[in-house]
Structure formats: C-alpha cells, structure tokens
Amino acid sequence: MIIIVVLMAFLTMSFYVIDSYQSSISTNNYVQSVYGKVQALYIADAGFNLAKYILDNDDQSVDSLQDKWTLPFNYSQNSSIKVSISIYDENRYINLNLAGDPGYGKIVDNLFKNLMISPEKERNLLVWIGRQEGTFQTGYPVKKAPMDSLYELILIGFKDEDLNGKLLGKDFYPGLIGISTVYTNGKININTAPLWVLKSLDERIDDNLAQKIIEKRSKEPFKQAKDLVLVDGFTFDMLYKIQNYIDVKSDIFHIVVNVGVGSTELKVDYVYDRAEKRIIYKEIL
C-alpha cells in the first residue's frame, strides 16, 4: 500500500514538473515568435524604404517595364534572414471605382465584356460604389462609397472565377484581381498595361493591335501618349477618344515585401503614392 502511495506521489510530482517544463517551453516559443515577428516587421519597413528610395530616384517622366524597379530584389543572410521585394505599378490597371464615370466608365464596360463577366455584376458594382441607385442580394450593407480594396468584390457577390480567371472552351479569361485597381486617379500607363487592359481602352483594339503596342514599347517605351499613333493600325480617332485616360508614367506603386526570420514568415503589402510621397495602404499578412 505504501509503495502505491509513494508511486502515486512520484507520478503526481512528475506531472507537475513536466507540465511546468512544457509551459516554460511554450512561453519561450511564444516569446521567440513575437520577437521574430517584431524583427520581421522592422526588416519589412526597411525593405519598403529601399523600394521607396529606388522609385523616388527613378526617372519619373516615363515608367516602363525596362526600368530597374521592375526587377525583384532578393537578400539572404546565413539562411536565418531572407528578404524579397517586388514592385508593381498600379497605373497599369483599370480603376473599378471609376465605373460609371463619363468616358472612363466605357473602359470598365469594355473590361467586363472582354472578361465575360455578366452586366448584372457590373450593375451591382455601380450600386456598391454609389454610382447608381438600387439594391441587390448581399449579406452585407451596401457601401454606397468607393472600394478600399478589390476584395470588397467578394462582398458584392463576385465569384472566384470572376476574380481569378476562368477557362471557357480553350480560351482563358483572367480575373479582375490581376488587371484592376482601386487606388489610381484613373490614368493608365500604356508602357506597362497588360494586353487585357490595352484591349479595354477601346473596343477597336483587338488582340493583334494590343500585341503590336506591346512589341513597340518593348523596343522603346512611349515617351508621350500620342506616340501610340506610331503603332500600325492605331488611329488618331482612337487616341482622341482615350487620351484623357492614358499616360506614359505611373504615380501609384504596389510594393510587396516578404520576410523570413528563422521560422517566422511575414508578408507586408504597401501601396505607395510617389507623387505625394505617402503610404496610402498597408496590410500585414
């Protein structure tokens, strides 16, 4: 009986020792995790400042895919710290917050048609951003104001295929996430705009003409918007129709900084307004 009591006491003491040890390990791991995240945040902000420096000191009269800021930056230190920085210009995309505007709204119309997204979804977008009266089925209060993020499209009821793309027959149609924005003033950079954006500028711009624009700028970036007429098939009438919505430079940039500190991984998205030299959006993932 004594042996059993002693054994029970030993097991009870062992349990408390092990529990205390595990708690100590858990606390230590938590402290290390917090420290790692704080360190990663400091490194991410340093990465952003590096990207900002590159953008601020670049030739701001013309931005193209040949510029140094388009190249990804990677850094590692003894495999314990890893950093990657990518910069994209938001002015290569179509601003959905300007749907319904005279002139620019037609570009948004063309985009939805080109991507094979139903007119009903565009109508819902117009209601959500306050460009049109009405209501629609949603589990959220209709905002009646411009979107702060493209992910509000999910609240509006856009499906995954509308956001990330779909395959219809043998043809792939990209989603809105990859070719639209909510941050710009509506100017679209013809030196960086992807094919689907170029096609949406005017219904007369088909795959062939859009590809000619891309080939022309790959040899030498457009120095001014009117240089588009140097592309075979692009007319002065097309230029007159879209000249108020295009440019050869960018003001808004999306900077993505990925940081690894030991086992801690962190991604920070910044949207930077180079003209006003300020961060207009930041998200830690």
Side-chain angles (χ1 to χ4, degrees):
M1 183 67 179
I2 295 177
I3 294 177
I4 294 175
V5 172
V6 171
L7 181 59
M8 290 293 292
F10 174 76
L11 291 174
T12 301
M13 291 177 61
S14 298
F15 171 78
Y16 284 117
V17 170
I18 293 172
D19 184 61
S20 298
Y21 177 69
Q22 289 177 334
S23 297
S24 175
I25 293 176
S26 178
T27 301
N28 182 65
N29 289 341
Y30 174 76
V31 171
Q32 290 297 321
S33 175
V34 171
Y35 175 74
K37 287 183 178 179
V38 171
Q39 190 177 13
L41 277 173
Y42 276 114
I43 295 172
D45 282 339
F48 164 77
N49 286 323
L50 173 61
K52 177 179 177 298
Y53 176 83
I54 293 171
L55 289 170
D56 289 346
N57 289 277
D58 183 55
D59 177 8
Q60 299 182 26
S61 63
V62 175
D63 291 299
S64 74
L65 297 176
Q66 287 79 41
D67 289 353
K68 291 181 179 179
W69 58 261
T70 64
L71 301 175
F73 173 83
N74 296 289
Y75 170 82
S76 61
Q77 178 180 328
N78 301 325
S79 299
S80 60
I81 297 178
K82 295 181 179 180
V83 183
S84 68
I85 305 170
S86 299
I87 304 174
Y88 313 92
D89 70 310
E90 290 287 309
N91 288 95
R92 61 184 175 156
Y93 295 147
I94 295 171
N95 191 336
L96 297 184
N97 277 332
L98 299 179
D101 274 14
Y104 196 96
K106 182 60 178 175
I107 295 176
V108 179
D109 291 343
N110 292 336
L111 178 65
F112 274 68
K113 290 176 183 176
N114 289 337
L115 298 184
M116 304 292 285
I117 298 175
S118 72
E120 181 185 0
K121 293 287 180 61
E122 185 177 3
R123 189 195 73 85
N124 292 349
L125 169 64
L126 290 169
V127 173
W128 182 269
I129 64 176
R131 296 284 181 173
Q132 183 174 312
E133 292 298 324
T135 186
F136 59 92
Q137 187 87 22
T138 177
Y140 305 88
V142 177
K143 189 174 185 180
K144 298 289 185 180
M147 292 186 291
D148 297 308
S149 167
L150 284 175
Y151 290 100
E152 288 183 36
L153 293 170
I154 298 173
L155 308 183
I156 301 173
F158 283 77
K159 297 180 180 179
D160 181 71
E161 62 180 20
D162 298 324
L163 302 179
N164 300 305
K166 55 181 174 286
L167 189 65
L168 296 177
K170 295 182 180 180
D171 299 320
F172 177 76
Y173 297 84
L176 290 170
I177 293 296
I179 50 180
S180 60
T181 183
V182 297
Y183 302 112
T184 69
N185 62 359
K187 291 288 187 177
I188 297 169
N189 187 342
I190 56 174
N191 280 323
T192 58
L195 183 140
W196 288 87
V197 171
L198 293 173
K199 286 172 57 178
S200 299
L201 292 175
D202 189 285
E203 58 271 12
R204 292 167 290 183
I205 302 178
D206 57 12
D207 284 336
N208 182 52
L209 183 52
Q211 194 57 50
K212 286 182 180 180
I213 294 172
I214 292 172
E215 290 172 1
K216 177 75 173 176
R217 76 189 188 191
S218 67
K219 297 174 183 177
E220 183 179 4
F222 298 110
K223 297 295 191 297
Q224 46 192 347
K226 66 182 182 180
D227 289 346
L228 275 174
V229 297
L230 300 176
V231 178
D232 182 36
F234 197 95
T235 67
F236 281 98
D237 183 52
M238 292 180 186
L239 178 63
Y240 178 78
K241 185 177 178 181
I242 67 173
Q243 62 183 343
N244 293 329
Y245 317 113
I246 59 175
D247 209 334
V248 294
K249 64 183 181 67
S250 301
D251 291 324
I252 310 299
F253 293 84
H254 185 184
I255 300 169
V256 181
V257 183
N258 287 285
V259 180
V261 179
S263 60
T264 301
E265 293 186 356
L266 193 72
K267 175 183 176 182
V268 185
D269 281 359
Y270 305 83
V271 178
Y272 175 60
D273 186 334
R274 183 172 65 180
E276 297 187 4
K277 299 191 183 308
R278 66 185 182 93
I279 297 173
I280 58 179
Y281 178 83
K282 179 179 178 180
E283 182 178 14
I284 301 171
L285 302 171

